Short mmCIF file of all heavy atoms in Angstrom, two decimals:
data_model
loop_
_atom_site.label_atom_id
_atom_site.label_comp_id
_atom_site.label_asym_id
_atom_site.label_seq_id
_atom_site.Cartn_x
_atom_site.Cartn_y
_atom_site.Cartn_z
N MET A 10 0.83 -1.18 0.00
CA MET A 10 -0.01 -0.02 -0.05
C MET A 10 0.88 1.24 0.02
O MET A 10 1.88 1.34 0.71
CB MET A 10 -0.92 -0.02 1.21
CG MET A 10 -1.83 1.12 1.31
SD MET A 10 -3.02 0.90 2.63
CE MET A 10 -2.93 2.47 3.40
N LEU A 11 0.58 2.22 -0.77
CA LEU A 11 1.30 3.46 -0.89
C LEU A 11 0.97 4.33 0.33
O LEU A 11 -0.18 4.41 0.72
CB LEU A 11 0.93 4.22 -2.18
CG LEU A 11 1.33 3.61 -3.49
CD1 LEU A 11 0.76 4.39 -4.67
CD2 LEU A 11 2.89 3.46 -3.59
N LYS A 12 2.00 4.96 0.84
CA LYS A 12 1.78 5.88 1.96
C LYS A 12 1.63 7.31 1.39
O LYS A 12 2.25 7.71 0.39
CB LYS A 12 2.98 5.84 2.90
CG LYS A 12 3.09 4.59 3.66
CD LYS A 12 4.20 4.70 4.64
CE LYS A 12 4.31 3.41 5.44
NZ LYS A 12 5.40 3.53 6.48
N ASN A 13 0.73 8.06 1.97
CA ASN A 13 0.50 9.44 1.52
C ASN A 13 1.54 10.34 2.22
O ASN A 13 2.27 9.93 3.09
CB ASN A 13 -0.94 9.92 1.75
CG ASN A 13 -1.31 9.91 3.19
OD1 ASN A 13 -0.53 10.08 4.10
ND2 ASN A 13 -2.60 9.65 3.45
N ASN A 14 1.60 11.60 1.80
CA ASN A 14 2.57 12.55 2.36
C ASN A 14 2.47 12.67 3.86
O ASN A 14 3.42 12.71 4.62
CB ASN A 14 2.42 13.91 1.71
CG ASN A 14 2.90 13.95 0.27
OD1 ASN A 14 3.83 13.25 -0.12
ND2 ASN A 14 2.23 14.73 -0.55
N HIS A 15 1.22 12.72 4.33
CA HIS A 15 1.02 12.92 5.79
C HIS A 15 1.61 11.65 6.59
O HIS A 15 2.27 11.85 7.56
CB HIS A 15 -0.49 12.99 6.13
CG HIS A 15 -0.74 13.15 7.63
ND1 HIS A 15 -0.45 14.31 8.31
CD2 HIS A 15 -1.18 12.28 8.52
CE1 HIS A 15 -0.75 14.15 9.55
NE2 HIS A 15 -1.20 12.93 9.73
N ASP A 16 1.31 10.45 6.14
CA ASP A 16 1.87 9.28 6.80
C ASP A 16 3.39 9.29 6.81
O ASP A 16 4.05 8.94 7.75
CB ASP A 16 1.33 7.99 6.15
CG ASP A 16 -0.17 7.84 6.41
OD1 ASP A 16 -0.73 8.50 7.34
OD2 ASP A 16 -0.80 7.06 5.64
N LEU A 17 4.00 9.61 5.64
CA LEU A 17 5.39 9.61 5.49
C LEU A 17 6.01 10.71 6.43
O LEU A 17 7.06 10.50 7.07
CB LEU A 17 5.85 9.88 4.09
CG LEU A 17 5.61 8.68 3.10
CD1 LEU A 17 5.75 9.10 1.68
CD2 LEU A 17 6.49 7.53 3.45
N TYR A 18 5.38 11.85 6.51
CA TYR A 18 5.83 12.94 7.32
C TYR A 18 5.81 12.48 8.84
O TYR A 18 6.72 12.73 9.55
CB TYR A 18 4.97 14.14 7.14
CG TYR A 18 5.37 15.40 7.91
CD1 TYR A 18 6.70 15.78 7.99
CD2 TYR A 18 4.39 16.12 8.60
CE1 TYR A 18 7.05 16.92 8.67
CE2 TYR A 18 4.77 17.22 9.31
CZ TYR A 18 6.11 17.63 9.36
OH TYR A 18 6.45 18.72 10.09
N GLU A 19 4.74 11.85 9.26
CA GLU A 19 4.62 11.39 10.60
C GLU A 19 5.74 10.42 10.93
O GLU A 19 6.33 10.42 12.02
CB GLU A 19 3.20 10.80 10.90
CG GLU A 19 2.15 11.83 10.93
CD GLU A 19 2.31 12.85 11.98
OE1 GLU A 19 2.67 12.55 13.13
OE2 GLU A 19 2.10 14.07 11.71
N GLU A 20 6.02 9.50 9.99
CA GLU A 20 7.03 8.50 10.20
C GLU A 20 8.44 9.14 10.24
O GLU A 20 9.23 8.85 11.11
CB GLU A 20 7.00 7.49 9.06
CG GLU A 20 8.02 6.35 9.23
CD GLU A 20 7.92 5.34 8.16
OE1 GLU A 20 6.86 5.19 7.50
OE2 GLU A 20 8.90 4.58 7.97
N ALA A 21 8.64 10.11 9.38
CA ALA A 21 9.96 10.81 9.33
C ALA A 21 10.27 11.57 10.64
O ALA A 21 11.35 11.68 11.06
CB ALA A 21 9.97 11.80 8.17
N LYS A 22 9.20 12.08 11.31
CA LYS A 22 9.40 12.82 12.53
C LYS A 22 9.93 11.99 13.66
O LYS A 22 10.43 12.47 14.62
CB LYS A 22 8.05 13.54 12.97
CG LYS A 22 7.72 14.63 12.08
CD LYS A 22 6.64 15.53 12.66
CE LYS A 22 5.27 14.89 12.73
NZ LYS A 22 4.18 15.74 13.15
N GLN A 23 9.81 10.64 13.50
CA GLN A 23 10.30 9.73 14.48
C GLN A 23 11.83 9.63 14.39
O GLN A 23 12.51 9.21 15.39
CB GLN A 23 9.77 8.29 14.30
CG GLN A 23 8.27 8.22 14.53
CD GLN A 23 7.73 6.87 14.18
OE1 GLN A 23 8.43 5.83 14.31
NE2 GLN A 23 6.45 6.79 13.82
N TYR A 24 12.41 9.98 13.21
CA TYR A 24 13.88 9.81 13.01
C TYR A 24 14.64 11.13 12.81
O TYR A 24 15.78 11.14 13.06
CB TYR A 24 14.07 8.94 11.72
CG TYR A 24 13.34 7.63 11.87
CD1 TYR A 24 12.14 7.40 11.18
CD2 TYR A 24 13.85 6.58 12.59
CE1 TYR A 24 11.48 6.19 11.26
CE2 TYR A 24 13.18 5.35 12.73
CZ TYR A 24 12.02 5.18 12.05
OH TYR A 24 11.35 3.96 12.13
N ILE A 25 13.92 12.12 12.33
CA ILE A 25 14.56 13.44 12.03
C ILE A 25 13.79 14.52 12.86
O ILE A 25 12.61 14.54 12.81
CB ILE A 25 14.45 13.75 10.52
CG1 ILE A 25 15.01 12.65 9.65
CG2 ILE A 25 15.13 15.11 10.24
CD1 ILE A 25 14.66 12.79 8.21
N PRO A 26 14.61 15.37 13.54
CA PRO A 26 13.80 16.43 14.29
C PRO A 26 12.99 17.26 13.37
O PRO A 26 13.42 17.76 12.30
CB PRO A 26 14.96 17.28 14.85
CG PRO A 26 16.17 16.33 14.89
CD PRO A 26 15.99 15.42 13.75
N GLY A 27 11.72 17.36 13.65
CA GLY A 27 10.78 18.05 12.78
C GLY A 27 10.35 17.33 11.55
O GLY A 27 9.52 17.68 10.77
N GLY A 28 10.99 16.12 11.35
CA GLY A 28 10.61 15.30 10.24
C GLY A 28 11.21 15.62 8.84
O GLY A 28 11.12 14.91 7.90
N VAL A 29 11.84 16.82 8.79
CA VAL A 29 12.40 17.28 7.51
C VAL A 29 13.67 18.14 7.81
O VAL A 29 13.90 18.49 8.96
CB VAL A 29 11.40 18.15 6.73
CG1 VAL A 29 10.23 17.33 6.27
CG2 VAL A 29 10.92 19.25 7.62
N ASN A 30 14.44 18.42 6.74
CA ASN A 30 15.52 19.36 6.99
C ASN A 30 14.99 20.85 7.11
O ASN A 30 13.84 21.08 6.93
CB ASN A 30 16.51 19.28 5.84
CG ASN A 30 15.99 19.67 4.50
OD1 ASN A 30 14.87 20.23 4.41
ND2 ASN A 30 16.68 19.39 3.40
N SER A 31 15.84 21.71 7.55
CA SER A 31 15.43 23.04 7.98
C SER A 31 14.56 23.80 6.96
O SER A 31 13.50 24.32 7.35
CB SER A 31 16.63 23.88 8.39
OG SER A 31 16.21 25.11 8.83
N PRO A 32 14.91 23.93 5.66
CA PRO A 32 14.10 24.74 4.79
C PRO A 32 12.66 24.22 4.58
O PRO A 32 11.75 24.97 4.37
CB PRO A 32 14.86 24.67 3.46
CG PRO A 32 16.23 24.23 3.81
CD PRO A 32 16.15 23.43 5.06
N VAL A 33 12.48 22.94 4.70
CA VAL A 33 11.11 22.36 4.50
C VAL A 33 10.19 22.61 5.68
O VAL A 33 8.97 22.53 5.51
CB VAL A 33 11.27 20.91 4.17
CG1 VAL A 33 9.92 20.25 3.88
CG2 VAL A 33 12.13 20.68 2.98
N ARG A 34 10.72 23.02 6.84
CA ARG A 34 9.84 23.31 7.95
C ARG A 34 8.90 24.42 7.64
O ARG A 34 7.93 24.64 8.32
CB ARG A 34 10.68 23.59 9.21
CG ARG A 34 11.35 22.39 9.72
CD ARG A 34 11.94 22.61 11.13
NE ARG A 34 12.73 21.44 11.43
CZ ARG A 34 14.04 21.40 11.60
NH1 ARG A 34 14.73 22.57 11.55
NH2 ARG A 34 14.70 20.34 11.85
N ALA A 35 9.11 25.19 6.59
CA ALA A 35 8.27 26.24 6.22
C ALA A 35 6.83 25.73 5.83
O ALA A 35 5.88 26.48 5.89
CB ALA A 35 8.79 27.04 5.05
N PHE A 36 6.71 24.45 5.55
CA PHE A 36 5.37 23.86 5.24
C PHE A 36 4.45 24.03 6.43
O PHE A 36 3.26 24.14 6.25
CB PHE A 36 5.52 22.36 4.86
CG PHE A 36 5.80 22.19 3.42
CD1 PHE A 36 7.10 22.04 2.98
CD2 PHE A 36 4.77 22.11 2.47
CE1 PHE A 36 7.38 21.79 1.61
CE2 PHE A 36 5.02 21.87 1.17
CZ PHE A 36 6.31 21.72 0.72
N GLN A 37 5.01 24.02 7.68
CA GLN A 37 4.11 24.18 8.82
C GLN A 37 3.50 25.53 8.84
O GLN A 37 2.39 25.70 9.36
CB GLN A 37 4.97 23.96 10.09
CG GLN A 37 5.46 22.51 10.20
CD GLN A 37 6.44 22.34 11.42
OE1 GLN A 37 6.83 23.27 12.04
NE2 GLN A 37 6.82 21.12 11.67
N ALA A 38 4.23 26.54 8.31
CA ALA A 38 3.67 27.90 8.34
C ALA A 38 2.49 28.06 7.36
O ALA A 38 1.59 28.89 7.64
CB ALA A 38 4.74 28.92 7.91
N VAL A 39 2.38 27.21 6.41
CA VAL A 39 1.22 27.28 5.48
C VAL A 39 0.23 26.20 5.74
O VAL A 39 -0.81 26.12 5.04
CB VAL A 39 1.68 27.24 3.98
CG1 VAL A 39 2.47 28.45 3.62
CG2 VAL A 39 2.46 26.00 3.71
N GLY A 40 0.44 25.45 6.78
CA GLY A 40 -0.58 24.50 7.22
C GLY A 40 -0.70 23.22 6.40
O GLY A 40 -1.79 22.69 6.24
N CYS A 41 0.39 22.73 5.80
CA CYS A 41 0.34 21.46 5.00
C CYS A 41 1.56 20.64 5.32
O CYS A 41 2.51 21.08 5.88
CB CYS A 41 0.12 21.73 3.56
SG CYS A 41 1.52 22.54 2.72
N ASP A 42 1.52 19.36 4.86
CA ASP A 42 2.62 18.49 5.03
C ASP A 42 3.57 18.65 3.89
O ASP A 42 3.12 19.00 2.72
CB ASP A 42 2.09 17.01 5.09
CG ASP A 42 1.27 16.78 6.30
OD1 ASP A 42 1.53 17.40 7.34
OD2 ASP A 42 0.38 15.95 6.25
N PRO A 43 4.85 18.35 4.05
CA PRO A 43 5.80 18.40 2.89
C PRO A 43 5.44 17.35 1.89
O PRO A 43 4.77 16.33 2.13
CB PRO A 43 7.16 18.05 3.60
CG PRO A 43 6.95 17.96 5.02
CD PRO A 43 5.48 17.95 5.32
N ILE A 44 5.90 17.56 0.69
CA ILE A 44 5.68 16.66 -0.41
C ILE A 44 6.83 15.69 -0.49
O ILE A 44 7.99 16.10 -0.37
CB ILE A 44 5.58 17.44 -1.73
CG1 ILE A 44 4.38 18.36 -1.75
CG2 ILE A 44 5.47 16.43 -2.94
CD1 ILE A 44 4.43 19.30 -2.92
N PHE A 45 6.54 14.40 -0.53
CA PHE A 45 7.62 13.36 -0.66
C PHE A 45 7.62 12.90 -2.09
O PHE A 45 6.65 12.49 -2.64
CB PHE A 45 7.29 12.18 0.29
CG PHE A 45 7.56 12.53 1.75
CD1 PHE A 45 6.64 13.28 2.47
CD2 PHE A 45 8.74 12.12 2.37
CE1 PHE A 45 6.86 13.56 3.79
CE2 PHE A 45 8.96 12.41 3.69
CZ PHE A 45 8.06 13.13 4.43
N ILE A 46 8.81 13.00 -2.68
CA ILE A 46 9.01 12.60 -4.08
C ILE A 46 9.46 11.16 -4.14
O ILE A 46 10.48 10.81 -3.54
CB ILE A 46 10.03 13.53 -4.77
CG1 ILE A 46 9.58 15.01 -4.69
CG2 ILE A 46 10.20 13.15 -6.24
CD1 ILE A 46 8.21 15.33 -5.26
N ARG A 47 8.76 10.38 -4.89
CA ARG A 47 9.10 8.91 -5.10
C ARG A 47 10.16 8.75 -6.13
O ARG A 47 11.13 8.03 -5.96
CB ARG A 47 7.84 8.14 -5.44
CG ARG A 47 8.16 6.67 -5.72
CD ARG A 47 6.84 5.92 -5.97
NE ARG A 47 5.97 5.84 -4.80
CZ ARG A 47 6.05 5.00 -3.79
NH1 ARG A 47 7.00 4.11 -3.82
NH2 ARG A 47 5.27 5.02 -2.76
N LYS A 48 10.02 9.47 -7.27
CA LYS A 48 11.02 9.39 -8.34
C LYS A 48 10.91 10.62 -9.19
O LYS A 48 9.93 11.36 -9.13
CB LYS A 48 10.85 8.13 -9.14
CG LYS A 48 9.58 8.08 -10.03
CD LYS A 48 9.54 6.79 -10.89
CE LYS A 48 8.42 6.91 -11.84
NZ LYS A 48 8.45 5.73 -12.79
N ALA A 49 11.89 10.73 -10.08
CA ALA A 49 11.96 11.89 -10.99
C ALA A 49 12.50 11.41 -12.33
O ALA A 49 13.31 10.53 -12.37
CB ALA A 49 12.78 13.03 -10.47
N GLN A 50 11.97 11.95 -13.39
CA GLN A 50 12.44 11.70 -14.78
C GLN A 50 12.47 13.01 -15.47
O GLN A 50 11.42 13.55 -15.77
CB GLN A 50 11.52 10.72 -15.52
CG GLN A 50 11.75 9.27 -15.25
CD GLN A 50 10.83 8.45 -16.10
OE1 GLN A 50 9.66 8.56 -16.02
NE2 GLN A 50 11.44 7.59 -16.95
N GLY A 51 13.62 13.51 -15.73
CA GLY A 51 13.71 14.83 -16.37
C GLY A 51 13.01 15.93 -15.59
O GLY A 51 13.30 16.07 -14.39
N ALA A 52 12.12 16.62 -16.20
CA ALA A 52 11.34 17.65 -15.51
C ALA A 52 10.07 17.16 -14.81
O ALA A 52 9.30 17.95 -14.33
CB ALA A 52 10.98 18.76 -16.49
N HIS A 53 9.91 15.86 -14.73
CA HIS A 53 8.75 15.27 -14.21
C HIS A 53 9.02 14.63 -12.84
O HIS A 53 9.95 13.89 -12.69
CB HIS A 53 8.12 14.19 -15.13
CG HIS A 53 7.92 14.65 -16.50
ND1 HIS A 53 6.98 15.67 -16.83
CD2 HIS A 53 8.53 14.41 -17.63
CE1 HIS A 53 7.06 15.91 -18.13
NE2 HIS A 53 7.98 15.18 -18.62
N LEU A 54 8.18 14.91 -11.88
CA LEU A 54 8.27 14.38 -10.48
C LEU A 54 7.04 13.49 -10.20
O LEU A 54 5.96 13.82 -10.64
CB LEU A 54 8.38 15.52 -9.45
CG LEU A 54 9.55 16.51 -9.60
CD1 LEU A 54 9.36 17.58 -8.59
CD2 LEU A 54 10.83 15.81 -9.49
N PHE A 55 7.27 12.45 -9.45
CA PHE A 55 6.10 11.61 -9.03
C PHE A 55 6.16 11.58 -7.54
O PHE A 55 7.17 11.22 -6.91
CB PHE A 55 6.34 10.23 -9.58
CG PHE A 55 6.33 10.14 -11.12
CD1 PHE A 55 7.45 10.40 -11.84
CD2 PHE A 55 5.17 9.88 -11.82
CE1 PHE A 55 7.47 10.39 -13.21
CE2 PHE A 55 5.13 9.91 -13.18
CZ PHE A 55 6.34 10.16 -13.90
N THR A 56 5.00 11.99 -6.92
CA THR A 56 4.96 12.04 -5.44
C THR A 56 4.78 10.60 -4.86
O THR A 56 4.62 9.65 -5.58
CB THR A 56 3.79 12.92 -4.97
OG1 THR A 56 2.52 12.21 -5.33
CG2 THR A 56 3.81 14.25 -5.62
N SER A 57 4.79 10.56 -3.58
CA SER A 57 4.60 9.28 -2.87
C SER A 57 3.29 8.66 -3.20
O SER A 57 3.13 7.44 -3.19
CB SER A 57 4.73 9.47 -1.35
OG SER A 57 3.75 10.41 -0.93
N ALA A 58 2.31 9.45 -3.55
CA ALA A 58 0.98 8.94 -3.90
C ALA A 58 0.89 8.77 -5.41
O ALA A 58 -0.22 8.63 -6.01
CB ALA A 58 -0.09 9.88 -3.38
N LEU A 59 2.04 8.81 -6.07
CA LEU A 59 2.12 8.67 -7.58
C LEU A 59 1.40 9.76 -8.31
O LEU A 59 0.96 9.53 -9.44
CB LEU A 59 1.73 7.29 -8.00
CG LEU A 59 2.56 6.13 -7.54
CD1 LEU A 59 2.08 4.79 -8.12
CD2 LEU A 59 4.04 6.35 -8.00
N LYS A 60 1.27 10.93 -7.75
CA LYS A 60 0.75 12.08 -8.44
C LYS A 60 1.89 12.61 -9.33
O LYS A 60 3.04 12.61 -8.93
CB LYS A 60 0.26 13.17 -7.46
CG LYS A 60 -0.99 12.78 -6.74
CD LYS A 60 -1.50 13.90 -5.86
CE LYS A 60 -2.74 13.48 -5.12
NZ LYS A 60 -3.21 14.46 -4.18
N PHE A 61 1.54 13.09 -10.48
CA PHE A 61 2.54 13.55 -11.47
C PHE A 61 2.63 15.05 -11.43
O PHE A 61 1.65 15.72 -11.51
CB PHE A 61 2.01 13.05 -12.86
CG PHE A 61 2.84 13.48 -14.01
CD1 PHE A 61 4.01 12.88 -14.29
CD2 PHE A 61 2.43 14.52 -14.80
CE1 PHE A 61 4.76 13.25 -15.38
CE2 PHE A 61 3.14 14.93 -15.90
CZ PHE A 61 4.37 14.28 -16.15
N LEU A 62 3.84 15.57 -11.30
CA LEU A 62 4.12 16.95 -11.28
C LEU A 62 5.17 17.30 -12.39
O LEU A 62 6.02 16.52 -12.67
CB LEU A 62 4.68 17.41 -9.95
CG LEU A 62 3.90 17.09 -8.68
CD1 LEU A 62 4.69 17.39 -7.44
CD2 LEU A 62 2.55 17.85 -8.67
N THR A 63 5.04 18.45 -13.02
CA THR A 63 6.04 18.86 -13.99
C THR A 63 6.71 20.17 -13.47
O THR A 63 6.04 21.07 -13.01
CB THR A 63 5.36 19.19 -15.35
OG1 THR A 63 4.76 18.01 -15.84
CG2 THR A 63 6.43 19.64 -16.37
N VAL A 64 8.04 20.13 -13.47
CA VAL A 64 8.79 21.31 -13.04
C VAL A 64 9.02 22.19 -14.20
O VAL A 64 9.56 21.75 -15.28
CB VAL A 64 10.11 20.85 -12.42
CG1 VAL A 64 10.95 22.05 -12.01
CG2 VAL A 64 9.90 19.89 -11.27
N ALA A 65 8.58 23.38 -14.17
CA ALA A 65 8.79 24.35 -15.26
C ALA A 65 9.94 25.27 -15.04
O ALA A 65 10.34 25.54 -13.87
CB ALA A 65 7.48 25.20 -15.42
N LYS A 66 10.58 25.73 -16.08
CA LYS A 66 11.72 26.69 -15.98
C LYS A 66 11.17 28.08 -15.68
O LYS A 66 10.19 28.51 -16.06
CB LYS A 66 12.39 26.70 -17.30
CG LYS A 66 13.50 25.71 -17.41
CD LYS A 66 14.29 25.97 -18.64
CE LYS A 66 15.62 25.21 -18.58
NZ LYS A 66 16.44 25.51 -19.73
#
């Protein structure tokens, strides 16, 4: 079963203070969980939930 960003974030907090490195803690200020990237191909990112994102220049 695929884990969503929230589940991965909760698990990461068990091992890393705050669950993420320092710059990503800004997600707390906007009230959402960080995005976990499963893989990347060129300008395309796939999240932990296999959602497809495209990085634009």
Side-chain angles (χ1 to χ4, degrees):
M10 182 171 131
L11 294 175
K12 292 185 178 181
N13 62 31
N14 288 327
H15 179 76
D16 292 341
L17 289 169
Y18 181 49
E19 290 300 316
E20 183 177 340
K22 288 194 291 186
Q23 297 175 26
Y24 305 102
I25 305 168
V29 293
N30 63 13
S31 183
V33 181
R34 288 191 189 118
F36 273 94
Q37 293 173 353
V39 294
C41 66
D42 295 328
I44 299 169
F45 286 80
I46 303 301
R47 178 175 295 276
K48 70 177 187 173
Q50 276 184 301
H53 308 292
L54 303 174
F55 299 84
T56 69
S57 59
L59 295 180
K60 291 183 180 176
F61 177 78
L62 306 171
T63 300
V64 179
K66 273 189 165 182

